[in-house]
PDB file of all heavy atoms in Angstrom:
ATOM      1  N   HIS A 309     -11.520  15.454  16.440  1.00  0.00           N
ATOM      2  CA  HIS A 309     -11.936  15.729  17.857  1.00  0.00           C
ATOM      3  C   HIS A 309     -10.834  15.792  18.851  1.00  0.00           C
ATOM      4  O   HIS A 309     -10.010  14.763  18.990  1.00  0.00           O
ATOM      5  CB  HIS A 309     -12.928  14.562  18.221  1.00  0.00           C
ATOM      6  CG  HIS A 309     -14.301  14.673  17.482  1.00  0.00           C
ATOM      7  ND1 HIS A 309     -14.545  14.126  16.330  1.00  0.00           N
ATOM      8  CD2 HIS A 309     -15.277  15.449  17.725  1.00  0.00           C
ATOM      9  CE1 HIS A 309     -15.708  14.334  15.902  1.00  0.00           C
ATOM     10  NE2 HIS A 309     -16.201  15.305  16.850  1.00  0.00           N
ATOM     11  N   LYS A 378     -27.682  17.755  18.488  1.00  0.00           N
ATOM     12  CA  LYS A 378     -27.548  16.895  17.398  1.00  0.00           C
ATOM     13  C   LYS A 378     -28.132  15.552  17.906  1.00  0.00           C
ATOM     14  O   LYS A 378     -27.727  14.984  18.906  1.00  0.00           O
ATOM     15  CB  LYS A 378     -26.011  16.800  17.053  1.00  0.00           C
ATOM     16  CG  LYS A 378     -25.666  15.704  15.908  1.00  0.00           C
ATOM     17  CD  LYS A 378     -24.156  15.567  15.829  1.00  0.00           C
ATOM     18  CE  LYS A 378     -23.789  14.744  14.657  1.00  0.00           C
ATOM     19  NZ  LYS A 378     -22.377  14.517  14.409  1.00  0.00           N
ATOM     20  N   GLN A 390     -26.495  15.080  21.323  1.00  0.00           N
ATOM     21  CA  GLN A 390     -25.160  15.627  21.713  1.00  0.00           C
ATOM     22  C   GLN A 390     -25.339  17.166  21.761  1.00  0.00           C
ATOM     23  O   GLN A 390     -25.858  17.670  20.694  1.00  0.00           O
ATOM     24  CB  GLN A 390     -24.133  15.104  20.821  1.00  0.00           C
ATOM     25  CG  GLN A 390     -22.689  15.743  21.093  1.00  0.00           C
ATOM     26  CD  GLN A 390     -21.719  15.424  19.885  1.00  0.00           C
ATOM     27  OE1 GLN A 390     -22.163  15.455  18.833  1.00  0.00           O
ATOM     28  NE2 GLN A 390     -20.566  15.222  20.241  1.00  0.00           N
ATOM     29  N   GLN A 421     -15.583  23.914  16.465  1.00  0.00           N
ATOM     30  CA  GLN A 421     -16.844  23.996  17.342  1.00  0.00           C
ATOM     31  C   GLN A 421     -16.560  23.244  18.737  1.00  0.00           C
ATOM     32  O   GLN A 421     -15.686  22.500  18.763  1.00  0.00           O
ATOM     33  CB  GLN A 421     -17.948  23.485  16.732  1.00  0.00           C
ATOM     34  CG  GLN A 421     -17.871  21.940  16.317  1.00  0.00           C
ATOM     35  CD  GLN A 421     -19.040  21.487  15.470  1.00  0.00           C
ATOM     36  OE1 GLN A 421     -19.485  22.141  14.551  1.00  0.00           O
ATOM     37  NE2 GLN A 421     -19.502  20.251  15.714  1.00  0.00           N
ATOM     38  N   GLU A 423     -18.131  20.853  21.677  1.00  0.00           N
ATOM     39  CA  GLU A 423     -19.178  19.880  21.903  1.00  0.00           C
ATOM     40  C   GLU A 423     -18.746  18.889  22.971  1.00  0.00           C
ATOM     41  O   GLU A 423     -17.553  18.959  23.417  1.00  0.00           O
ATOM     42  CB  GLU A 423     -19.432  19.128  20.565  1.00  0.00           C
ATOM     43  CG  GLU A 423     -18.311  18.405  20.018  1.00  0.00           C
ATOM     44  CD  GLU A 423     -18.636  17.657  18.646  1.00  0.00           C
ATOM     45  OE1 GLU A 423     -19.271  18.341  17.796  1.00  0.00           O
ATOM     46  OE2 GLU A 423     -18.162  16.624  18.408  1.00  0.00           O
ATOM     47  N   GLU A 454     -14.050  20.295  18.057  1.00  0.00           N
ATOM     48  CA  GLU A 454     -13.944  19.644  16.803  1.00  0.00           C
ATOM     49  C   GLU A 454     -13.436  20.642  15.739  1.00  0.00           C
ATOM     50  O   GLU A 454     -13.985  21.755  15.602  1.00  0.00           O
ATOM     51  CB  GLU A 454     -15.322  19.158  16.496  1.00  0.00           C
ATOM     52  CG  GLU A 454     -15.267  18.482  15.046  1.00  0.00           C
ATOM     53  CD  GLU A 454     -16.687  17.887  14.649  1.00  0.00           C
ATOM     54  OE1 GLU A 454     -17.530  17.479  15.515  1.00  0.00           O
ATOM     55  OE2 GLU A 454     -16.958  17.824  13.443  1.00  0.00           O
TER      56      GLU A 454
HETATM   57 MN1   MN B1040     -18.252  15.978  16.360  1.00  0.00          MN
END
Side-chain angles (χ1 to χ4, degrees):
H309 286 94
K378 181 182 185 181
Q390 178 195 32
Q421 66 188 34
E423 61 186 37
E454 180 178 328

